[in-house]
């Protein structure tokens, strides 16, 4: 089975992220295979697993929840075309090339990604723990399947360079 997640950005751009391992963790921690450093994403938010029957997602106790087709889930099997919302990002599940085309307008409304909102208290707690959310910019790391190198890292340019204070 050929599986991937297609990230749909608010501007309509799409990026396909192949699922190359039996389990891939999505979160903001550096050891996640799909890293999203955003205040709305937990350190280890959810995992995508290849199963005998296809693909599944399991929430890893995230603060803001994992949503499939706008419903909060703990664990569920995925089908081609399902929408997975993690924080303020939405991925479309692609299995064996289906869906072959993704209409960004089905995922984006008025320049905003259609994402279920967590409760105000959960958002406040998440922001207090991790600081303000950052706009993700996709950067692909080395493709080194057998290592612990992250496959995809959503970083701002400021995250790449540690600024030293002037004395």
């Amino acid at each position: 089975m050929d599986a991937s997640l297609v990230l749909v950005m608010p501007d309509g751009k799409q990026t396909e992220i192949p699922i190359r391992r039996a389990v891939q963790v999505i979160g903001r921690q550096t050891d996640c295979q799909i890293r999203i450093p955003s205040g709305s994403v937990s350190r280890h938010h959810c995992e995508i697993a290849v199963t005998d029957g296809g693909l599944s997602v399991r929430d890893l106790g995230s603060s803001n929840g994992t949503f499939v087709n706008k419903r909060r889930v703990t664990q569920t099997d995925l089908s081609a075309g399902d929408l997975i919302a993690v924080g303020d990002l939405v991925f479309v599940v692609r299995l064996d090339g289906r869906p072959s085309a993704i209409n960004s307008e089905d995922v984006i409304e008025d320049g905003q990604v259609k994402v279920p909102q967590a409760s105000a208290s959960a958002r406040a707690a998440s922001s207090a723990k991790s600081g303000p959310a950052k706009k993700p910019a996709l950067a692909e790391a080395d493709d080194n399947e057998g290592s612990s190198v992250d496959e995809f890292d959503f970083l701002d340019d400021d995250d790449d360079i540690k600024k030293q204070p002037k004395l």
Side-chain angles (χ1 to χ4, degrees):
M1 171 183 61
D2 182 33
S4 62
L5 301 178
V6 179
L7 171 66
V8 180
M9 298 298 287
D11 62 3
K13 290 182 183 175
Q14 300 177 11
T15 302
E16 188 163 4
I17 303 165
I19 304 299
R20 296 185 180 136
R21 299 178 181 167
V23 176
Q24 285 191 234
V25 176
I26 298 173
R28 71 171 197 269
Q29 193 71 24
T30 57
D31 63 343
C32 294
Q33 288 74 47
I34 301 173
R35 183 170 177 256
I36 307 167
S38 168
S40 64
V41 177
S42 293
R43 289 181 192 100
H44 294 103
H45 197 98
C46 65
E47 67 181 19
I48 304 294
V50 178
T51 63
D52 290 337
L55 210 59
S56 69
V57 63
R58 181 171 66 100
D59 186 81
L60 298 175
S62 65
S63 297
N64 292 329
T66 300
F67 295 80
V68 174
N69 300 326
K70 298 186 180 183
R71 299 180 104 182
R72 191 172 185 150
V73 299
T74 304
Q75 182 169 352
T76 191
D77 292 332
L78 298 168
S79 299
D82 281 349
L83 301 179
I84 304 172
V86 176
D88 50 4
L89 297 179
V90 174
F91 300 91
V92 179
V93 176
R94 181 173 280 160
L95 298 173
D96 295 325
R98 293 185 4 255
S100 58
I102 297 169
N103 184 352
S104 295
E105 292 175 8
D106 291 341
V107 181
I108 311 244
E109 185 174 276
D110 297 327
Q112 297 293 318
V113 177
K114 296 178 189 178
V115 184
Q117 296 297 314
S119 68
S121 59
R123 282 194 306 275
S126 175
S127 293
K129 282 190 253 177
S130 59
K134 299 175 185 175
K135 256 188 175 172
L138 182 65
E140 186 173 345
D142 293 339
D143 185 17
N144 196 351
E145 197 164 329
S147 77
S148 62
V149 174
D150 294 337
E151 289 186 15
F152 288 89
D153 207 354
F154 298 84
L155 295 174
D156 286 333
D157 291 336
D158 292 342
D159 290 336
D160 292 333
I161 301 169
K162 301 262 191 242
K163 296 182 180 177
Q164 297 294 326
K166 292 185 180 180
L167 300 175

